[in-house]
C-alpha cells in the first residue's frame, strides 16, 4: 500500500476512533439500565490488557510470525533491561489516572464540550515540550495557543438554561467536576506524552514494545485503583459487572487509541492530524445534538469551537510541534 493511502487511511481511522470513543463512552455512562453500571476502573484495566495483546501480535508479525523471535525480543527488551522498563512506570501511572479521569469527564460533560475542551492538551504538551525537551515554538504556534485558550474559555462560558434553581445548581456542579477532570487529564496527557517521547528518542526500542511495557505497568496501577476505590463493589458484583456489548465497544476503542496515534505519527503530518481532530469535533457536536440530545449549541459555543479548530491548524503550520507518540 502506498504511503499516501496509508496516510489517509490512518487519519480516517483516527477520526473514527476519536469520535466513536467519545460518543460511545458518553452514551454508556448516561444510559439508564437495570442492574449495576460497569466500573470505569475495570474498563481501564481491560483496555490495557487488550492493548498488550494487540501489541504482542504486532511484534509477532514484525518478526516473521516466529514464536522464538517474539520470546527473544520480549525477554531481551523487557526482562533483561529492568531499569529501562522501570522508566515507563511514571508515564504509565499518569496515563492510568488520565484514562480514569476521561470516564469522570464524560459522565459529567456532553461529548461536544468535552471534545473541544480536551484540545487544551495541545497547550500542555507544548509547554512541557519547551521545558523538558528545550523545544522552541514559532510565532504561529504561540499565537495558536492564545487562540486555543480563548476558544476553550468561550466553550465553557455559562449559558442561560431553563430549569429550577436546584436543577441548575446540580448541572453547574456536574459541569465543574467534568471540566476539572478534563483539565487534569490535559495536564497529565501533556506531561506523560512528552516524557514518553523523550524515552523513545533516547532508545531504539520498537514503539510496540514500549506500549507493552506501558500496558504492564498500566494494568498494575489500574488493578490497584480497582481494589482501592471499587473493591467493595467488585466483591459484591464482580469485576465485570454491568458489561455489555456497548461496554466492550468502549474498551476496544480505548485500546485502539494509542495504536492509531502511533500510526498517524508515522504516516501523517500535523496539518492532516489537525484536520482529523477538527472533523472529529464537528462530528461529535452534530451527533451529540441530533442523536444523544444532551447538548444545546449556542452562538458562543460555535465561536469557541471555531477558534479551537483554527488554533489546531495554526499550531501545525510552522515548524514541528511536539507530537504525542503515546496513547489517546
Amino acid at each position: 500500500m502506498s504511503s499516501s493511502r496509508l496516510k489517509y487511511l490512518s487519519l480516517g481511522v483516527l477520526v473514527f476512533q476519536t469520535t466513536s470513543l467519545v460518543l460511545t463512552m458518553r452514551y454508556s455512562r448516561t444510559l439508564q439500565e437495570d442492574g449495576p453500571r460497569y466500573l470505569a476502573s475495570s474498563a481501564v484495566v481491560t483496555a490495557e490488557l487488550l492493548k498488550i495483546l494487540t501489541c504482542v501480535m504486532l511484534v509477532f508479525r514484525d518478526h516473521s510470525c516466529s514464536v522464538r523471535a517474539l520470546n527473544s525480543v520480549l525477554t531481551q527488551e523487557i526482562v533483561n533491561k529492568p531499569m529501562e522498563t522501570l522508566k515507563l512506570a511514571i508515564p504509565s501511572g499518569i496515563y492510568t489516572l488520565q484514562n480514569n479521569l476521561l470516564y469522570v469527564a464524560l459522565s459529567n460533560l456532553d461529548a461536544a464540550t468535552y471534545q473541544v475542551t480536551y484540545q487544551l492538551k495541545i497547550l500542555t504538551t507544548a509547554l512541557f515540550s519547551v521545558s523538558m525537551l528545550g523545544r522552541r515554538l514559532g510565532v504561529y504556534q504561540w499565537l495558536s495557543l492564545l487562540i486555543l485558550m480563548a476558544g476553550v474559555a468561550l466553550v465553557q462560558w455559562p449559558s442561560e438554561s431553563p430549569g429550577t434553581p436546584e436543577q441548575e445548581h446540580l448541572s453547574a456542579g456536574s459541569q465543574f467536576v467534568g471540566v476539572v477532570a478534563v483539565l487534569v487529564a490535559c495536564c497529565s496527557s501533556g506531561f506523560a506524552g512528552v516524557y514518553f517521547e523523550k524515552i523513545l528518542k533516547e532508545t531504539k526500542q520498537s514503539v510496540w514494545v514500549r506500549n507493552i511495557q506501558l500496558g504492564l505497568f498500566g494494568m498494575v496501577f489500574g488493578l490497584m485503583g480497582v481494589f482501592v476505590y471499587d473493591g467493595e463493589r467488585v466483591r459484591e458484583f464482580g469485576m465485570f459487572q454491568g458489561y455489555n456489548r456497548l461496554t466492550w465497544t468502549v474498551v476496544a476503542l480505548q485500546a485502539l487509541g494509542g495504536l492509531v496515534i502511533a500510526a498517524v505519527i508515522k504516516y501523517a503530518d500535523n496539518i492532516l492530524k489537525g484536520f482529523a481532530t477538527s472533523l472529529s469535533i464537528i462530528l461529535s457536536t452534530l451527533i451529540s445534538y441530533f442523536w444523544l440530545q444532551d447538548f444545546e449549541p449556542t452562538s458562543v459555543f460555535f465561536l469557541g469551537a471555531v477558534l479551537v479548530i483554527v488554533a489546531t491548524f495554526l499550531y501545525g503550520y510552522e515548524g514541528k510541534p511536539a507530537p504525542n507518540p503515546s496513547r489517546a
Side-chain angles (χ1 to χ4, degrees):
M1 188 179 294
S2 67
S3 176
S4 177
R5 290 181 64 187
L6 284 172
K7 176 191 299 185
Y8 290 104
L9 176 62
S10 63
L11 285 170
V13 175
L14 177 62
V15 172
F16 169 78
Q17 186 271 337
T18 304
T19 307
S20 55
L21 173 61
V22 170
L23 294 170
T24 54
M25 189 183 290
R26 169 65 178 173
Y27 184 63
S28 70
R29 300 307 289 175
T30 57
L31 182 65
Q32 299 298 323
E33 287 187 319
D34 296 332
R37 189 184 302 278
Y38 75 92
L39 303 175
S41 56
S42 167
V44 170
V45 173
T46 309
E48 293 295 339
L49 176 59
L50 183 58
K51 188 178 297 182
I52 291 173
L53 295 176
T54 304
C55 288
V56 168
M57 294 303 298
L58 288 169
V59 174
F60 180 65
R61 186 205 62 181
D62 289 344
H63 290 80
S64 304
C65 298
S66 169
V67 176
R68 179 178 297 179
L70 173 66
N71 180 64
S72 176
V73 169
L74 296 182
T75 302
Q76 180 67 26
E77 298 296 340
I78 298 176
V79 179
N80 294 344
K81 296 180 180 179
M83 296 309 298
E84 290 295 319
T85 301
L86 282 173
K87 288 181 180 180
L88 275 299
I90 294 175
S92 180
I94 296 174
Y95 277 131
T96 304
L97 170 65
Q98 171 192 332
N99 289 332
N100 279 280
L101 286 172
L102 297 187
Y103 281 95
V104 175
L106 281 166
S107 297
N108 294 279
L109 292 176
D110 60 82
T113 302
Y114 163 83
Q115 272 280 63
V116 178
T117 307
Y118 193 46
Q119 298 313 306
L120 275 177
K121 64 185 178 181
I122 297 174
L123 171 65
T124 59
T125 301
L127 296 178
F128 281 118
S129 296
V130 171
S131 60
M132 294 173 62
L133 300 178
R135 181 165 292 151
R136 293 185 177 182
L137 301 182
V139 175
Y140 287 112
Q141 291 171 315
W142 284 114
L143 179 60
S144 72
L145 297 180
L146 294 176
I147 296 174
L148 177 68
M149 289 188 290
V152 171
L154 288 175
V155 167
Q156 296 301 330
W157 195 268
S159 60
E160 296 182 1
S161 56
T164 65
E166 290 80 6
Q167 289 175 328
E168 292 178 5
H169 176 72
L170 289 173
S171 177
S174 177
Q175 182 161 3
F176 177 77
V177 172
V179 170
V180 170
V182 173
L183 293 179
V184 177
C186 286
C187 292
S188 63
S189 174
F191 176 79
V194 174
Y195 187 97
F196 189 43
E197 179 186 354
K198 187 175 182 180
I199 291 175
L200 284 176
K201 288 184 175 180
E202 290 175 351
T203 60
K204 295 183 179 180
Q205 275 188 337
S206 162
V207 68
W208 309 130
V209 173
R210 285 303 194 188
N211 271 281
I212 293 173
Q213 293 170 314
L214 281 172
L216 291 172
F217 283 114
M219 283 193 62
V220 172
F221 290 126
L223 286 171
M224 289 171 59
V226 169
F227 291 105
V228 169
Y229 295 104
D230 297 311
E232 186 174 340
R233 296 173 64 185
V234 169
R235 285 188 291 271
E236 185 176 358
F237 298 107
M239 185 168 175
F240 297 102
Q241 58 183 277
Y243 271 55
N244 52 31
R245 291 181 180 178
L246 181 61
T247 309
W248 285 109
T249 300
V250 172
V251 168
L253 288 170
Q254 191 172 31
L256 179 66
L259 308 181
V260 172
I261 292 294
V264 169
I265 289 170
K266 182 175 182 180
Y267 295 113
D269 56 34
N270 286 283
I271 301 295
L272 289 173
K273 186 181 176 185
F275 176 79
T277 301
S278 303
L279 184 57
S280 179
I281 290 174
I282 295 170
L283 288 175
S284 296
T285 302
L286 294 175
I287 297 174
S288 185
Y289 176 67
F290 288 107
W291 179 43
L292 298 181
Q293 297 182 347
D294 61 353
F295 170 66
E296 287 292 334
T298 64
S299 57
V300 175
F301 175 89
F302 277 119
L303 177 58
V306 168
L307 289 178
V308 169
I309 291 172
V310 169
T312 303
F313 276 103
L314 192 59
Y315 185 74
Y317 180 74
E318 182 181 72
K320 292 286 186 179
N324 192 354
S326 54
R327 310 183 292 177

